[in-house]
């Protein structure tokens, strides 16, 4: 019985190979029916029969694998895949299993943004020193990912820190419940006045291949601003002065729009946030624009 079964399986596989230009596996007990298969290979040994189908006319990324160990108690293994691959909870440092890595756009789901920030639509007295206003953002992982040959869609999770420093003779000052822009005392030796934000983010990004090694990434990034503070330091008559406040009525939910261009693991990015940093009932009006480098980790 064993020899008869092996002979029939081998005959079945050879018939599949002979019709690779038309339809594969057209038998009474059909395992798979693939029309216009690009390539069919049959591999046999003393212990294994394996049939592989690679590509279709309208789907070059199609893959089918049939493995039948040639023993009485063996377990047959069948796998089939198409262009899209769903990957859940891809943590930093982990690699998704891919039978053919070239089938998928390889995007940086863990990356570090280092940028400089300026203001947009700001009150007339609010002038931010871009060279001293930093953003640091780390995207930790892709919670859900869908990857294709030339495009990918990812929902990620990360956290970041932003710092906006004023220049000129102006400082953030809290009086009662309101944050205002005030001049420093006369003859003050100015150090800095800044607002700092810490946020958790959930970027939803769409990536598209640009050539063989580059890609563009467009993202909408909802932010949960969990911490904010203002801080001012200066000297007056030789004495150090510090004003610090955490309850500054910042907007706790904002959204960024990010465009990044990558070449392998290195790129540049541009980010715009159209939501005011402060609740404008209590603080000055300004939105933010950031640009910098991004590094895939």
């Amino acid at each position: 019985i064993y020899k008869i079964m092996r002979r029939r399986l081998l005959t079945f596989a050879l018939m599949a190979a002979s019709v690779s230009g038309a339809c594969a596996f057209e038998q009474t007990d059909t395992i798979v029916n693939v029309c216009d298969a690009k390539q069919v290979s049959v591999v046999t040994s003393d212990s294994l029969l394996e049939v592989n189908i690679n590509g279709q006319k309208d789907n070059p990324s199609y893959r089918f694998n049939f493995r039948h160990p040639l023993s009485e108690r063996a377990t047959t293994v069948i796998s089939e895949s198409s262009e899209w691959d769903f990957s859940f909870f891809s943590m930093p440092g982990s690699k998704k299993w891919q039978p053919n890595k070239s089938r998928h756009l390889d995007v940086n789901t863990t990356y570090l943004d280092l940028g400089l920030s300026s203001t947009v639509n700001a009150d007339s007295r609010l002038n931010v020193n871009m060279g001293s206003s930093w953003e640091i953002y780390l995207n930790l992982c892709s919670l859900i990912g869908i990857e294709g040959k030339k495009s990918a869609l990812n929902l990620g999770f990360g956290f970041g820190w932003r710092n906006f420093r004023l220049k000129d003779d102006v400082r953030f000052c809290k009086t009662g419940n309101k944050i205002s822009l005030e001049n420093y005392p006369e003859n003050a030796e100015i150090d800095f006045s800044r607002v700092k934000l810490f946020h958790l983010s959930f970027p939803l990004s769409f990536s598209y291949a640009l050539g063989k090694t580059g890609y563009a990434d467009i993202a909408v990034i909802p932010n949960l601003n969990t911490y904010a503070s203002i801080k001012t330091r200066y000297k007056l008559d030789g004495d150090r002065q510090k004003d610090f406040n955490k309850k500054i009525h910042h907007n706790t939910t904002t959204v960024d729009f990010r465009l990044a261009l990558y070449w392998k693991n290195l790129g540049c990015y541009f980010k715009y946030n159209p939501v005011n940093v402060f609740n404008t009932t209590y603080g000055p009006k300004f939105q933010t624009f950031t640009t910098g480098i991004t590094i895939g980790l």
Side-chain angles (χ1 to χ4, degrees), residues 111-112 136-140 157-161 198-203:
Y111 59 85
L112 177 68
I136 300 174
Y137 175 76
L138 176 63
N139 197 71
L140 286 173
F157 169 73
F159 61 89
W161 169 86
F198 179 83
H199 57 94
L200 303 176
S201 300
F202 300 88

Side-chain angles (χ1 to χ4, degrees), residues 79-99:
S79 64
E80 187 177 28
S81 65
S82 190
E83 182 176 0
W84 293 96
D85 171 57
F86 291 78
S87 305
F88 298 92
F89 299 98
S90 173
M91 300 304 293
S94 67
K95 297 294 183 182
K96 297 183 289 293
W97 176 82
Q98 295 177 356

Side-chain angles (χ1 to χ4, degrees), residues 15 30 45-46 48 68 76 87 95 98 103 107 116 123 126 144 147-148 178 200 206 213 241-242 249 261 267 294:
M15 289 178 67
T30 303
S45 66
D46 291 337
L48 181 69
H68 185 85
T76 301
S87 305
K95 297 294 183 182
Q98 295 177 356
R103 289 172 46 231
V107 300
L116 297 173
D123 287 349
L126 198 152
I144 300 175
E147 296 184 349
K178 294 193 174 183
L200 303 176
F206 174 77
T213 57
Q241 306 291 326
K242 182 177 78 169
H249 297 284
L261 300 174
T294 177

Side-chain angles (χ1 to χ4, degrees), residues 43-197:
V43 180
T44 61
S45 66
D46 291 337
S47 60
L48 181 69
L49 170 67
E50 183 172 4
V51 179
N52 294 294
I53 303 175
N54 297 317
Q56 292 176 280
K57 180 179 180 181
D58 298 324
N59 187 4
S61 295
Y62 177 83
R63 300 291 185 271
F64 175 83
N65 175 258
F66 176 94
R67 301 182 68 189
H68 185 85
L70 299 178
S71 66
E72 294 181 350
R73 298 182 179 179
T75 301
T76 301
V77 178
I78 301 175
S79 64
E80 187 177 28
S81 65
S82 190
E83 182 176 0
W84 293 96
D85 171 57
F86 291 78
S87 305
F88 298 92
F89 299 98
S90 173
M91 300 304 293
S94 67
K95 297 294 183 182
K96 297 183 289 293
W97 176 82
Q98 295 177 356
N100 183 353
K101 193 172 182 179
S102 63
R103 289 172 46 231
H104 301 282
L105 174 62
D106 187 14
V107 300
N108 299 312
T109 55
T110 304
Y111 59 85
L112 177 68
D113 285 348
L114 299 172
L116 297 173
S117 298
S118 62
T119 57
V120 180
N121 299 323
D123 287 349
S124 58
R125 298 185 65 200
L126 198 152
N127 195 358
V128 164
N129 185 346
M130 188 173 183
S132 300
S133 300
W134 284 87
E135 176 191 63
I136 300 174
Y137 175 76
L138 176 63
N139 197 71
L140 286 173
C141 63
S142 173
L143 298 177
I144 300 175
I146 307 173
E147 296 184 349
K149 188 174 182 180
K150 288 190 175 183
S151 60
L153 185 68
N154 281 283
L155 174 65
F157 169 73
F159 61 89
W161 169 86
R162 287 171 175 163
N163 183 50
F164 302 96
R165 287 199 180 200
L166 297 179
K167 61 182 180 180
D168 302 328
D169 186 22
V170 177
R171 60 182 172 138
F172 292 112
C173 185
K174 184 176 181 182
T175 305
N177 286 328
K178 294 193 174 183
I179 306 298
S180 60
L181 299 171
E182 305 291 343
N183 292 330
Y184 286 88
E186 190 175 353
N187 300 322
E189 297 178 34
I190 300 171
D191 189 357
F192 66 83
S193 185
R194 57 87 176 142
V195 57
K196 180 168 67 176
L197 298 169

